[in-house]
Amino acid sequence: MHRQMCWLSKSSGDGEKILHLQIAPGQPWRPYTAFPQFSVPDYQIPGGSKGWATYQKLLKAGWSLVPSARANEFSSNLAESTVQN
């Protein structure tokens, strides 16, 4: 089953990274909060990473972590192929 995680910036630029999930090939990366069936409440630590508790849970459940550069590359390729069609 295709279940991947990645740390991506909230906006298109640099900034605070939050956990994003992808549950099927070809689907866009979406913030972990868009998947209540998989996410768990964040730890109440000032300045803590958004999605860290969910990341730990999903890692134990067998989800794969994808490097941010690879996820961004996939998003760019998807956008280019959409424009070309």
Side-chain angles (χ1 to χ4, degrees):
M1 188 173 289
H2 181 94
R3 292 186 173 183
Q4 296 182 328
M5 309 177 282
C6 187
W7 294 98
L8 299 171
S9 296
K10 284 184 180 181
S11 61
S12 58
D14 292 334
E16 177 188 7
K17 292 189 176 189
I18 66 169
L19 187 67
H20 282 67
L21 307 178
Q22 185 183 58
I23 59 172
Q27 288 192 351
W29 290 96
R30 294 178 27 201
Y32 70 103
T33 54
F35 298 96
Q37 70 272 35
F38 301 122
S39 64
V40 295
D42 287 322
Y43 297 124
Q44 298 301 310
I45 300 171
S49 296
K50 300 295 182 192
W52 183 249
T54 298
Y55 164 78
Q56 291 176 313
K57 172 193 168 188
L58 297 180
L59 189 63
K60 287 180 183 176
W63 285 56
S64 301
L65 180 64
V66 174
S68 298
R70 188 169 142 215
N72 288 330
E73 179 182 296
F74 171 79
S75 297
S76 297
N77 290 342
L78 182 61
E80 288 173 10
S81 66
T82 303
V83 170
Q84 291 175 358
N85 289 333

